[in-house]
Amino acid sequence: MDRCDECGFDYAGVSAADLPRLLRAVGERYATALGGVQDLRRRPAEGVWSPLEYTCHVRDVLRVQTDRLVLALTVDQPEFTPMGRDERAVTDAYNEQDPTVVLAALATAATDLATRFSALDQADLARTGVYPWPEPRARTLLWLGQHTIHETEHHLLDITRASGTEPAR
């Protein structure tokens, strides 16, 4: 995946130098987006997550991507375990969580990942791991960072669709 047809995200449009800045902005962007939502727990349709559930998912994506980055820096071409996104939403009761706590944890996870990406050199960014989605494929750590930004952008769009608000840029 190099471009998302649904949200228009272009992976090549995000450089390694962009990653720390974009990741550091995630917490504030999500706080702003959720601040404009009247009912954070309302699912707009069957099978569609609520804004709070999308935010919990992004928090967990940031944490999982951090674990994957660390693994790829210590093991040659590891196979990344799928994160179990749908299972987590149920087992962790995403829609019952405290939005303030979720946003704080999301911001912390984003900042941690930004710090880790800012410390990588070109050789580190070229290291690979087998990413499980959309099908198992060797991906670089640069792609991992780009994909993480895509996740944050795409789910901001999901939140705006669910709540009828526009995302903050």
Side-chain angles (χ1 to χ4, degrees):
M1 174 184 259
D2 296 316
R3 178 172 165 61
C4 178
D5 293 333
E6 186 178 350
C7 74
F9 183 85
D10 178 19
Y11 283 62
V14 176
S15 71
D18 294 331
L19 292 173
R21 173 183 54 81
L22 293 171
L23 286 164
R24 284 188 180 97
V26 169
E28 184 176 326
R29 292 187 71 208
Y30 271 76
T32 299
L34 290 190
V37 177
Q38 290 185 8
D39 185 355
L40 296 175
R41 300 175 200 283
R42 185 183 73 77
R43 290 181 168 181
E46 182 70 31
V48 177
W49 283 347
S50 71
L52 178 58
E53 289 170 310
Y54 280 117
T55 304
C56 289
H57 170 66
V58 169
R59 173 206 56 206
D60 289 351
V61 164
L62 292 163
R63 290 172 171 171
V64 167
Q65 298 297 61
T66 299
D67 292 344
R68 289 171 172 166
L69 182 145
V70 169
L71 182 62
L73 290 172
T74 57
V75 174
D76 287 333
Q77 200 163 348
E79 289 193 32
F80 302 135
T81 305
M83 72 176 283
R85 60 171 259 147
D86 294 319
E87 297 82 5
R88 282 178 191 247
V90 173
T91 59
D92 294 349
Y94 278 0
N95 224 18
E96 303 305 315
Q97 294 187 26
D98 180 334
T100 303
V101 172
V102 172
L103 284 169
L106 181 146
T108 298
T111 299
D112 180 43
L113 189 55
T115 300
R116 290 174 187 275
F117 268 107
S118 69
L120 301 182
D121 60 24
Q122 290 302 318
D124 293 331
L125 290 164
R127 289 184 64 89
T128 60
V130 178
Y131 202 87
W133 183 91
E135 70 275 333
R137 182 172 169 192
R139 299 289 191 171
T140 65
L141 288 183
L142 174 58
W143 183 91
L144 181 93
Q146 293 166 328
H147 186 63
T148 304
I149 298 301
H150 171 243
E151 286 281 311
T152 67
E153 293 294 319
H154 195 105
H155 293 310
L156 274 175
L157 176 61
D158 290 328
I159 288 169
T160 63
R161 287 178 183 159
S163 64
T165 60
E166 289 297 318
R169 293 261 175 207

